[in-house]
Amino acid sequence: ISGSSFTTSSGIYAGNNSLTNSTGFNSSQQEYPSYPSFGQGQYAQYYNSSPYPSHYMTNSNTSPTTPSTNATYQLQEPPSGITSQAVTDPAAEYSTIHSPSTPIKDSDSDRLRRSSDGKSRGRGRRNNNPSPPPDSDLERVFIWDLDETIIIFHSLLTGSYANRYGRDPPTSVSLGLRMEEMIFNLADTHLFFNDLEECDQVHIDDVSSDDNGQDLSTYNFGTDGFPAAATSANLCLATGVRGGVDWMRKLAFRYRRVKEIYNTYKNNVGGKHAIIYSTGLLGPAKREAWLQLRAEIEALTDSWLTLALKALTLIHSRTNCVNILVTTTQLIPALAKVLLYGLGVVFPIENIYSATKIGKESCFERIIQRFGRKVVYVVIGDGVEEEQGAKKHAMPFWRISSHSDLMALHHALELEYL
């Protein structure tokens, strides 16, 4: 297994939480009791003496998602263990959702071309510690990137994945476009993205202090005047102008409703326990189209998502570990992606952060503030930004650049090396 690196900076976690920068964990060097001794075996290459390999940083203008080789990758072993039910089981059911639809302002073609990595111009207040403190037995926090780490998206749209692995580029681009359309359709129709695109937040609870707790069961989001006020006054743009108390409360209501929707459907959007979905989250036609699309993407990407889910699920099963998501996608489309891909079980909504406005390094700072400095943080991703953020905060970084990296990660977790 090759093609990736798991690196630490020298002297990280001195004392009881020591991760060394040696070629492996061994009993004489490692002081963290939860890690077993690490021999000189197959994982030695993940623990380099040089924390940040020079080959990765040779050209700062290179996109982190651009592959460095055109060699065709042949999957060495079929994925084993857990599988993604929604990917493989056409009978997996989507659930009903009864929420007011937000008005559609943009045409489908305009929305289709909206970049999920687009820069938001939103500026909003936030709570520094929006979630309850973690349990005291928490030992490790795994901070994941989303695109090109857990799901393949941008490299489908550009054709770079197809070129790297010897697949058909037009097919890849078509799958990417269909996926993009589905994500934004869900975000617009059920998650208020038309209202919230310019009012993006880092975290779902960032405007919760403006929420008065009003019952929303009969609230009409379509007629409360929020979208018109937001558009006419540019209330969420970079000018820093903010709405009054009434307008901020309406904003907070939308984020509260999004949280309710997420928590209601995170376990069964792709599960078998469906309610009647005829007027549901996707509707029967879109539901079938999405299941088919997910299956096609998994086939083209050699079960990339399934491999990532194996590692995510293993971490989630531990009582002393937690998965955190930090993505450059705006928060609402990111939540749509997580719901569609069945990742809501391993990523509670409180554990999802959008770095669109503040960057990943600042998100890492918020996560450290939330969980404290006694836990061990491990960053998992494919890009320069998360690697540099990890280095800044002295966090080990596990690079994902191929299927073998996901397999190695799962294997290291399975053997409790991580």
Side-chain angles (χ1 to χ4, degrees), residues 9-160:
S9 297
S10 150
I12 299 176
Y13 308 116
N16 292 330
N17 290 2
S18 176
L19 283 175
T20 72
N21 66 341
S22 67
T23 54
F25 287 118
N26 58 62
S27 56
S28 65
Q29 292 172 311
Q30 91 98 1
E31 303 171 38
Y32 192 65
S34 296
Y35 288 105
S37 60
F38 215 141
Q40 296 295 111
Q42 58 179 322
Y43 290 100
Q45 78 273 16
Y46 285 91
Y47 298 82
N48 296 337
S49 57
S50 170
Y52 293 88
S54 57
H55 72 266
Y56 192 76
M57 304 296 288
T58 51
N59 183 359
S60 61
N61 294 324
T62 302
S63 166
T65 57
T66 303
S68 57
T69 173
N70 289 324
T72 301
Y73 176 82
Q74 298 297 328
L75 200 59
Q76 297 302 312
E77 57 183 87
S80 60
I82 74 154
T83 57
S84 174
Q85 182 83 36
V87 171
T88 57
D89 183 1
E93 300 287 349
Y94 281 91
S95 298
T96 264
I97 189 165
H98 298 286
S99 67
S101 297
T102 56
I104 302 298
K105 296 196 299 278
D106 300 332
S107 69
D108 289 342
S109 59
D110 290 339
R111 185 51 53 83
L112 190 66
R113 299 308 316 141
R114 181 193 291 135
S115 168
S116 67
D117 294 323
K119 299 298 183 226
S120 168
R121 294 159 297 282
R123 291 292 182 271
R125 291 177 292 180
R126 65 177 173 85
N127 298 334
N128 287 331
N129 191 14
S131 300
D135 294 336
S136 57
D137 62 352
L138 188 66
E139 294 178 4
R140 268 160 277 180
V141 174
F142 292 84
I143 303 175
W144 290 78
D145 175 44
L146 181 58
D147 289 353
E148 313 310 314
T149 298
I150 299 173
I151 63 175
I152 300 298
F153 183 33
H154 182 70
S155 60
L156 286 182
L157 287 169
T158 62
S160 61

Side-chain angles (χ1 to χ4, degrees), residues 319-388:
T319 58
N320 63 345
C321 297
V322 65
N323 290 304
I324 303 289
L325 187 67
V326 177
T327 174
T328 52
T329 304
Q330 283 184 270
L331 184 60
I332 297 301
L335 297 177
K337 287 182 186 179
V338 170
L339 284 174
L340 285 169
Y341 276 94
L343 301 169
V345 175
V346 294
F347 289 118
I349 196 167
E350 294 84 1
N351 292 356
I352 298 174
Y353 294 80
S354 169
T356 306
K357 289 167 60 176
I358 65 173
K360 290 196 171 181
E361 184 186 315
S362 295
C363 286
F364 292 177
E365 290 174 1
R366 287 189 61 171
I367 293 165
I368 292 170
Q369 183 180 30
R370 174 179 167 189
F371 292 102
R373 296 190 177 275
K374 292 183 179 180
V375 299
V376 174
Y377 295 89
V378 179
V379 179
I380 303 165
D382 72 294
V384 174
E385 188 181 2
E386 54 261 31
E387 182 174 21
Q388 291 176 337

Side-chain angles (χ1 to χ4, degrees), residues 226-383:
F226 176 89
T231 303
S232 63
N234 293 327
L235 291 170
C236 289
L237 300 185
T239 57
V241 176
R242 296 176 56 80
V245 172
D246 182 61
W247 185 87
M248 287 302 302
R249 188 165 58 245
K250 293 172 183 176
L251 176 66
F253 286 170
R254 281 158 172 76
Y255 276 102
R256 194 213 313 171
R257 182 62 183 137
V258 167
K259 187 174 184 176
E260 290 171 355
I261 292 167
Y262 185 96
N263 287 333
T264 300
Y265 297 99
K266 67 178 183 179
N267 293 327
N268 57 16
V269 164
K272 283 188 168 181
H273 306 291
I275 319 168
I276 296 171
Y277 56 82
S278 58
T279 58
L281 187 62
L282 295 178
K286 280 190 170 61
R287 168 187 169 277
E288 293 302 326
W290 175 244
L291 290 174
Q292 178 62 32
L293 176 58
R294 272 182 58 170
E296 290 179 36
I297 292 173
E298 275 294 89
L300 185 128
T301 61
D302 289 312
S303 301
W304 185 286
L305 174 66
T306 300
L307 292 172
L309 274 170
K310 289 176 70 175
L312 282 162
T313 304
L314 200 160
I315 293 167
H316 181 69
S317 71
R318 297 175 175 176
T319 58
N320 63 345
C321 297
V322 65
N323 290 304
I324 303 289
L325 187 67
V326 177
T327 174
T328 52
T329 304
Q330 283 184 270
L331 184 60
I332 297 301
L335 297 177
K337 287 182 186 179
V338 170
L339 284 174
L340 285 169
Y341 276 94
L343 301 169
V345 175
V346 294
F347 289 118
I349 196 167
E350 294 84 1
N351 292 356
I352 298 174
Y353 294 80
S354 169
T356 306
K357 289 167 60 176
I358 65 173
K360 290 196 171 181
E361 184 186 315
S362 295
C363 286
F364 292 177
E365 290 174 1
R366 287 189 61 171
I367 293 165
I368 292 170
Q369 183 180 30
R370 174 179 167 189
F371 292 102
R373 296 190 177 275
K374 292 183 179 180
V375 299
V376 174
Y377 295 89
V378 179
V379 179
I380 303 165
D382 72 294

